[in-house]
Amino acid sequence: VFRGPSPTGGTIHFGTYVDDCIYFGTDDETEAWFERELGSRLTIEFMGDLSYYLGVHYEWGHLPDGRLTVHCSQPGYIYKMLDDFGLTNAHGVPTPYRSGHLIDRNPHDGKSPEEKPQLVTAYRSIVGGLNWLSLSTLTAMGARGVLENALQAL
């Protein structure tokens, strides 16, 4: 996350993660200046108000006194995972582990993981997606704190 003054008198806040960027200014003139300057140096597409960033959904609003509010959630990523793995109609069930009992009720099929690359890839994708989701929740909470601090400083 970077923060700096603009010649319009405002402040620009800029965050980047690999090739995904997010920015906001303390006023419309600052954001317009930033878009002009960055657009004159790079081929870039400004996509309007932020709605999704790194799997997090943002909903913007205003309080009666005019202050900006934001609600962050991750249902889009969760629904995408369910859809990608054909689990949109799945129903959760409790799965307690008991020592000494098989975790998988299906008998071993006699094939090594090397013999079923599609299944191994799908399994890794599911586990990786769940891991990312758990870690990105912490990241989103951190980003929310940064945004809250920046907005309170205005």
Side-chain angles (χ1 to χ4, degrees):
V1 176
F2 304 93
R3 182 175 79 176
S6 76
T8 64
T11 302
I12 193 75
H13 303 266
F14 179 80
T16 184
Y17 182 80
V18 186
D19 64 346
D20 292 317
C21 301
I22 179 177
Y23 69 94
F24 69 93
T26 52
D27 55 68
D28 292 340
E29 293 79 21
T30 297
E31 289 183 2
W33 164 80
F34 178 77
E35 290 173 3
R36 271 193 317 276
E37 290 298 312
L38 191 61
S40 71
R41 291 171 171 78
L42 301 171
T43 302
I44 191 165
E45 180 182 351
F46 295 101
M47 302 171 70
D49 289 343
L50 179 70
S51 57
Y52 282 92
Y53 184 66
L54 302 179
V56 179
H57 179 239
Y58 296 85
E59 293 179 54
W60 301 92
H62 288 88
L63 297 174
D65 65 3
R67 289 182 298 154
L68 182 65
T69 64
V70 62
H71 173 75
C72 309
S73 61
Q74 292 185 294
Y77 184 77
I78 294 167
Y79 291 133
K80 182 182 181 319
M81 278 187 64
L82 291 172
D83 190 47
D84 288 350
F85 299 111
L87 299 171
T88 19
N89 295 320
H91 300 285
V93 295
T95 57
Y97 173 73
R98 293 188 337 220
S99 180
H101 292 270
L102 290 175
I103 295 174
D104 189 350
R105 67 179 176 177
N106 297 321
H108 190 278
D109 62 5
K111 294 183 181 178
S112 72
E114 291 78 22
E115 296 176 274
K116 13 181 192 185
Q118 287 179 312
L119 182 60
V120 170
T121 299
Y123 176 78
R124 287 179 179 162
S125 294
I126 290 170
V127 171
L130 292 171
N131 188 39
W132 181 88
L133 186 60
S134 67
L135 294 174
S136 67
T137 300
L138 296 174
T139 302
M141 288 170 24
R144 178 182 172 201
V146 169
L147 284 172
E148 283 177 351
N149 288 339
L151 291 173
Q152 287 175 2
L154 298 179

